Amino acid sequence: MTLHRNRMKRGALRRRARDISVMLVVLVCATVVIWTWDKTPTSAFLPPESHYLKLQSEEKVERLPTALNTETKDSYSLATPFVNKEGSKEDSPDNKDTEEEEEKQMEEATGEARKTTHIKETSSDPESNILASDEERTDGSTSTAHIKNQACNYAKGKWVVDNHRPLYSGSQCKQWLASMWACRLMQRTDFAFESLRWQPKDCSMEEFEGSKFLRRMKNKTLAFVGDSLGRQQFQSMMCMITGGKERLDVLDVGPEFGFITPEGGARPGGWAYRFPETNTTVLYHWSSTLCDIEPLNITDPATEHAMHLDRPPAFLRQYLHKINVLVMNTGHHWNRGKLNGNRWVMHVNGVPNTNKKLAALGNAKNFTIHSTVSWVNSQLPLHPGLKAFYRSLSPRHFVGGEWNTGGSCNNTTPMSIGKEVLQEESSDYSAGRAVKGTGVKLLDITALSHIRDEGHISRFSISAAPGVQDCLHWCLPGVPDTWNEILFAMI
């Protein structure tokens, strides 16, 4: 009995000691909790703020609607380097001086673009930049609004097949489309090139709709000012807006902008059409060199013309106040054949140019682009509603010669020389440099057009001489439609 009682006493002591130990542990923990709460209430046991925000940001980034949300970065590759050589079927064959200068510049530009792309891809993660911006917020919340508002580089992306293309019929858009560019009216039989759509890499591109365009441009004027490639873009836009259908209600308002066929002339200096339901005007003005050209002797039909490299076209100086969206381009008329044939004489500061360095056509062209872009930029504060764009050079694809020496572009297979563009900077180096630091935006179409060599009119032209191919102008519908889709997105 005595032994049993002793065992019971020892068991009770052990239980009491265990209870006391538990109570001491609870008291210590409570003390720690109270002390911590006093120091940093509510957040002591939450994950670090940076980690919490990072998870929130990543989740939101994944839900962002993008054109390529199923693609990975590894599915893209750099496009074939583009080397520009100027000239065209319309141009004179005497353009070697400009070509050599342009080729050197484009090689340098391509190298710069490669270096820029490599640096950005290896040292800067766009997603990490987004997360860093979120971590700077002080209210503990996250937002993706700034992600959606970031400027999209529409020049980066790839061509994809889209069975809903083209946006209009090349055989039906006769009211707006010149027959010399409507390949459906020629002997060409393969039209796979019409079924491609440009898909930007890092963002969605708004789908073009004619009615949506007219609503967006209500009571506004869109003006294309440039060479024959600018005219192609203008005709493309007219076909896209109307869906290629005849529109008898559209008004010809050319005279409002001085577009009147001169006596003895073949055509006016441009075209302007107005859609009455939204009072939207779309026009094109011919200015192949994007500078002011005026006759030295207006009474002499054979007079020379002053080519004012430092003066914008007279049309812009006279009608800029009536324009809301301006798209400019030049490039393929800067050759000796054109200058000599048109009797153009370079002028600077109102007098004939004596600067030998500027006399080089590549330098003269770049000087003019910079000059005109700079002038337009200076006018932006005076016209708050004006949006101005400079379109980069449309590439040519002559192989084995020039337009008059047997050059050809016989390929008809889409994407045979590539389908993707990843470079950060434009292949048109002079265009990129001209708009840098200005309010004029770059409509960069050079690289994405370069990998579409099958889209030219080629040997199917109905207006070219036998054996002459057009590897400069594009079949419509075709590549210029994409230029307008990007323009629509940027507007």
Side-chain angles (χ1 to χ4, degrees):
M1 287 290 292
T2 302
L3 180 61
H4 179 67
R5 282 198 297 272
N6 289 337
R7 288 177 177 173
M8 290 182 62
K9 288 180 180 179
R10 286 197 295 271
L13 288 173
R14 290 193 191 98
R15 286 193 297 273
R16 186 174 298 174
R18 190 162 51 246
D19 292 341
I20 292 172
S21 299
V22 171
M23 291 178 64
L24 286 173
V25 170
V26 171
L27 286 173
V28 170
C29 291
T31 301
V32 171
V33 169
I34 293 172
W35 179 82
T36 306
W37 180 273
D38 289 337
K39 293 290 185 182
T40 54
T42 73
S43 63
F45 300 102
L46 292 176
E49 183 181 4
S50 61
H51 179 66
Y52 174 73
L53 293 177
K54 183 174 182 179
L55 292 175
Q56 293 294 317
S57 299
E58 286 175 342
E59 182 180 350
K60 288 182 179 291
V61 168
E62 289 175 358
R63 289 200 299 264
L64 282 177
T66 64
L68 296 173
N69 55 7
T70 61
E71 299 291 338
T72 64
K73 190 174 183 180
D74 293 336
S75 66
Y76 288 85
S77 62
L78 284 174
T80 306
F82 167 67
V83 178
N84 168 39
K85 294 183 179 180
E86 292 202 340
S88 73
K89 183 177 77 68
E90 295 181 330
D91 294 340
S92 164
D94 185 16
N95 57 5
K96 291 185 179 179
D97 50 354
T98 306
E99 288 181 6
E100 291 173 357
E101 294 165 6
E102 288 296 315
E103 184 170 347
K104 182 178 180 181
Q105 291 175 4
M106 295 308 298
E107 287 174 350
E108 293 174 355
T110 304
E112 286 295 322
R114 283 203 201 98
K115 287 189 287 185
T116 303
T117 304
H118 176 71
I119 292 172
K120 291 192 176 184
E121 289 183 356
T122 57
S123 65
S124 176
D125 181 2
E127 186 172 311
S128 67
N129 291 337
I130 294 172
L131 300 180
S133 299
D134 280 339
E135 289 176 359
E136 293 172 0
R137 295 178 64 90
T138 57
D139 59 1
S141 64
T142 59
S143 172
T144 59
H146 64 289
I147 302 174
K148 295 179 182 179
N149 292 334
Q150 287 178 345
C152 174
N153 185 355
Y154 293 104
K156 290 174 59 178
K158 65 179 180 179
W159 291 100
V160 297
V161 176
D162 187 340
N163 293 327
H164 295 94
R165 298 301 170 107
L167 297 174
Y168 56 90
S169 168
S171 59
Q172 295 181 8
C173 191
K174 297 179 181 180
Q175 187 176 3
W176 319 112
L177 179 57
S179 59
M180 62 181 177
W181 295 332
C183 288
R184 284 277 179 177
L185 302 180
M186 303 177 189
Q187 295 181 353
R188 185 162 184 164
T189 57
D190 57 289
F191 298 99
F193 67 92
E194 292 184 346
S195 301
L196 297 185
R197 172 175 56 83
W198 181 249
Q199 183 170 289
K201 181 182 185 299
D202 296 318
C203 51
S204 307
M205 187 161 69
E206 187 175 5
E207 184 175 351
F208 185 93
E209 295 179 10
S211 58
K212 188 187 298 184
F213 172 86
L214 291 176
R215 289 194 300 270
R216 185 169 300 177
M217 291 294 294
K218 185 176 182 179
N219 298 319
K220 296 180 180 179
T221 295
L222 164 63
F224 296 96
V225 177
D227 57 20
S228 57
L229 277 304
R231 184 183 171 199
Q232 280 208 298
Q233 189 174 2
F234 160 71
Q235 294 190 5
S236 162
M237 178 63 81
M238 292 299 297
C239 289
M240 290 170 66
I241 296 172
T242 61
K245 302 295 192 298
E246 187 176 17
R247 287 285 301 270
L248 298 180
D249 61 320
V250 176
L251 306 174
D252 181 350
V253 293
E256 291 185 20
F257 297 89
F259 299 151
I260 302 174
T261 303
E263 185 177 350
R267 60 189 182 190
W271 295 264
Y273 299 104
R274 182 167 296 147
F275 294 84
E277 66 266 37
T278 56
N279 192 36
T280 301
T281 303
V282 182
L283 68 85
Y284 162 77
H285 170 67
W286 170 266
S287 179
S288 61
T289 58
L290 211 59
C291 66
D292 193 23
I293 297 178
E294 61 178 0
L296 295 177
N297 183 356
I298 59 175
T299 63
D300 180 9
T303 184
E304 291 183 332
H305 290 70
M307 186 183 188
H308 297 283
L309 305 183
D310 55 350
R311 189 185 300 174
F315 175 83
L316 288 181
R317 302 199 308 273
Q318 185 173 356
Y319 294 104
L320 188 65
H321 67 283
K322 301 182 69 172
I323 298 172
N324 302 98
V325 178
L326 171 65
V327 182
M328 304 173 285
N329 90 282
T330 187
H332 292 292
H333 282 252
W334 290 87
N335 61 75
R336 291 295 172 192
K338 279 295 180 184
L339 264 69
N340 296 335
N342 291 305
R343 297 184 292 279
W344 292 340
V345 180
M346 294 184 190
H347 279 58
V348 178
N349 294 324
V351 297
N353 173 54
T354 57
N355 186 325
K356 292 183 179 180
K357 185 175 182 180
L358 188 57
L361 285 178
N363 294 334
K365 186 199 75 168
N366 292 341
F367 177 83
T368 298
I369 294 173
H370 278 258
S371 177
T372 299
V373 167
S374 178
W375 180 83
V376 171
N377 181 61
S378 72
Q379 299 300 302
L380 293 179
L382 305 178
H383 308 285
L386 175 63
K387 294 183 179 181
F389 299 85
Y390 182 82
R391 180 178 59 71
S392 65
L393 191 70
S394 174
R396 49 203 293 282
H397 291 91
F398 288 99
V399 176
E402 292 301 316
W403 66 271
N404 60 341
T405 58
S408 63
C409 47
N410 291 317
N411 176 46
T412 58
T413 304
M415 301 182 288
S416 60
I417 62 173
K419 67 176 183 178
E420 302 163 330
V421 174
L422 276 184
Q423 62 194 51
E424 293 289 344
E425 294 189 5
S426 175
S427 295
D428 186 348
Y429 185 65
S430 61
R433 287 289 300 273
V435 302
K436 188 174 183 179
T438 74
V440 179
K441 299 182 183 299
L442 180 65
L443 181 56
D444 186 10
I445 56 86
T446 304
L448 65 88
S449 303
H450 169 61
I451 50 180
R452 291 296 309 278
D453 64 317
E454 90 294 346
H456 288 294
I457 294 173
S458 184
R459 61 187 180 277
F460 304 103
S461 173
I462 59 176
S463 59
V468 175
Q469 295 199 15
D470 187 351
C471 303
L472 171 68
H473 298 101
W474 304 91
C475 287
L476 290 176
V479 173
D481 302 335
T482 295
W483 307 349
N484 284 326
E485 289 182 278
I486 296 175
L487 173 65
F488 177 63
M490 295 179 73
I491 295 175

